[in-house]
Amino acid sequence: MVGADEERSDMNEAGGWADSRGAVVDVLARVRALGVEFAAGEAAELLYKQSGSKQDVSGVRTTQGDSLFGDLVVLCTGAWTSTLLPELGHDLLPTGQAVGTIRLTEEEASVYAGVPVAFFMDTGFYCFPVSRPLNLSFRTSG
């Protein structure tokens, strides 16, 4: 992917890895340039509007009492989704992963620049190529 500022976000289709941070930064820059606005806060409840025979989410009310509306509402609620949609609670299983990130010097980054994605099935340990800023990330899965 090439972002609005022409920096490169890497993706390795064979290894199943993408520079997710770079991709998010790229998408945010592009949609902000189109006039999209973002709001952050803790959602207390969903707000609905009637659309024919169905209800559509039209916004959220925050725990601070603010009502936020949009033509399109995207919830990024992760493990808290079932607090807003309790009817889905039995279908949702929040999980987590331990994540480690090491900030590298330019010299250290050059040493590890060619390291591929590594995934060890027996332990669940995996790591990713060096990204910008110069981070080496590793995680455990399972």
Side-chain angles (χ1 to χ4, degrees):
M1 300 173 79
V2 177
D5 57 2
E6 299 304 316
E7 288 189 26
R8 182 158 173 79
S9 298
D10 292 318
M11 179 177 69
N12 180 326
E13 291 181 16
W17 177 86
D19 177 7
S20 58
R21 180 191 178 281
V24 170
V25 168
D26 179 43
V27 168
L28 289 176
R30 289 173 185 234
V31 297
R32 282 187 173 131
L34 295 172
V36 172
E37 295 180 28
F38 294 86
E42 184 178 345
E45 67 176 307
L46 299 177
L47 303 174
Y48 297 91
K49 67 178 176 188
Q50 196 67 32
S51 178
S53 62
K54 66 179 182 166
Q55 286 187 331
D56 291 329
V57 174
S58 60
V60 296
R61 188 173 336 278
T62 68
T63 54
Q64 294 77 27
D66 298 322
S67 296
L68 306 172
F69 297 93
D71 296 330
L72 176 66
V73 177
V74 178
L75 298 175
C76 302
T77 53
W80 294 274
T81 301
S82 61
T83 62
L84 291 174
L85 298 165
E87 64 274 18
L88 297 179
H90 64 281
D91 292 323
L92 302 175
L93 176 63
T95 61
Q97 295 182 348
V99 178
T101 302
I102 300 171
R103 179 66 54 101
L104 304 174
T105 65
E106 289 282 348
E107 183 180 335
E108 291 168 330
S110 67
V111 170
Y112 297 106
V115 173
V117 173
F119 179 47
F120 300 94
M121 299 285 283
D122 57 335
T123 63
F125 176 85
Y126 59 104
C127 65
F128 299 107
V130 174
S131 61
R132 293 270 174 203
L134 301 176
N135 291 329
L136 178 62
S137 296
F138 48 93
R139 297 171 175 89
T140 58
S141 177

